[in-house]
Amino acid sequence: MRVIRVGTRKSQLARIQTDTVVAMLKALYPGIQFEIIAMSTTGDKILDTALSKIGEKSLFTKELENALEKNEVDLVVHSLKDVPTILPPGFTIGAICKRENPCDAVVFHPKFIGKTLETLPEKSAVGTSSLRRVAQLQRKFPHLEFKSIRGNLNTRLRKLDELQEFSAIVLAVAGLQRMGWQNRVGQILHPEECMYAVGQGALAVEVRAKDQDILDLVSVLHDPETLLRCIAERAFLRHLEGGCSVPVAVHTVMKDGQLYLTGGVWSLDGSDSMQETMQATIQVPVQQEDGPEDDPQLVGITARNIPRGAQLAAENLGISLASLLLNKGAKNILDVARQLNDVR
């Protein structure tokens, strides 16, 4: 029996996400055995520093890519939001699975169950290590204090429940759902309150770019709508040259053949911001084989089974929106945010 080795991070959420992808592959390929190999990444090991301060783009992917490069694993499963928009040479995202709810959620300390961010007492501490969340929420809820909190989901929930330090923490809805902790969601932050991170809620399968056999194997997992939304989001972020060290957020909707992309940039404290919405006509494609391409990758993603024209339209939408914001002065907001984040 053929064995395919799947790399993953060691956290419980990462294992659940990888198990989900492997279960889909097993259903499609019952004659193949899948072996899961778990490893720790830099982002898992450095827990006393905010991610935005570490200054490394591939915090949660580098060790997994090293294993891919050494042929110790054949594919790796990531949260797409952890994957940089430019991949190292020799790698590609071979599949983006159907997205779960991409929004953020608020989980409250037991004594504040039933509250919302708006109704929390003055100077309540809210935990999040995301500059994107802090910038947007500080502006909307100036009576709250936002403090950094690191660690995997289990660790963060334990810190919330057992220490009297936080009144609430902000986490991704998708992670809570995958862990089976929907009952802890006290409030869902809709995009008008807090736009989400690029790729949030979607799982990505990374492979060696020249490994056509594995690429073909995983490409059936591509969800066309999720793929096109995420190409637009990633193109927006790449063109802005954003990363986790600056507050950048997005919101995408696919409706009646139109892809709507809203993107925004913020100063670290949220006092300065800029956001715009653009749309492009993109028919959500049925699976279709395109002709061979010299370089099929767009923003690190290979999807030969989705029409190229739709992918290019999504990429162009992201680039156009980023260009619009840059022309209106977004670069200054981002440069200041980067400099301030470096000296904090």
Side-chain angles (χ1 to χ4, degrees), residues 206-269:
E206 188 178 12
V207 302
R208 291 178 289 272
K210 289 196 160 48
D211 200 339
Q212 196 57 50
D213 183 34
I214 298 289
L215 251 176
D216 291 343
L217 188 103
V218 302
S219 67
V220 292
L221 299 179
H222 269 307
D223 176 67
E225 182 178 314
T226 302
L227 170 82
L228 295 171
R229 286 171 63 190
C230 290
I231 284 176
E233 293 173 17
R234 285 171 65 81
F236 171 72
L237 182 64
R238 181 195 275 193
H239 200 67
L240 281 178
E241 294 183 351
C244 65
S245 62
V246 287
V248 174
V250 293
H251 172 46
T252 46
V253 177
M254 185 82 86
K255 193 178 177 189
D256 302 329
Q258 295 288 313
L259 176 56
Y260 299 85
L261 169 64
T262 303
V265 301
W266 286 261
S267 58
L268 291 187
D269 64 359

Side-chain angles (χ1 to χ4, degrees), residues 317-331:
L317 175 63
I319 292 170
S320 300
L321 184 64
S323 299
L324 176 65
L325 288 181
L326 289 169
N327 290 339
K328 288 187 158 193
K331 188 176 189 312

Side-chain angles (χ1 to χ4, degrees), residues 62-110:
K62 201 173 196 171
E63 285 77 3
L64 295 164
E65 285 171 344
N66 289 346
L68 256 184
E69 190 169 31
K70 293 179 192 160
N71 206 15
E72 293 166 357
V73 295
D74 301 301
L75 56 105
V76 296
V77 178
H78 302 290
S79 293
L80 181 61
K81 71 180 169 70
D82 293 334
V83 183
T85 55
I86 298 174
L87 269 60
F91 302 106
T92 190
I93 295 166
I96 296 179
C97 306
K98 189 173 174 60
R99 191 177 214 166
E100 300 220 19
N101 186 336
C103 294
D104 289 321
V106 188
V107 178
F108 293 90
H109 185 282

Side-chain angles (χ1 to χ4, degrees), residues 122-156:
E122 191 82 22
K123 297 215 177 321
S124 291
V126 177
T128 174
S129 53
S130 157
L131 297 181
R132 169 188 62 80
R133 290 171 181 148
V134 173
Q136 292 180 82
L137 296 174
Q138 208 158 40
R139 184 176 174 144
K140 293 228 167 33
F141 306 103
H143 69 293
L144 301 176
E145 292 185 352
F146 292 89
K147 292 186 175 178
S148 181
I149 184 169
R150 285 287 322 280
N152 59 40
L153 280 189
N154 311 56
T155 306
R156 284 188 238 184

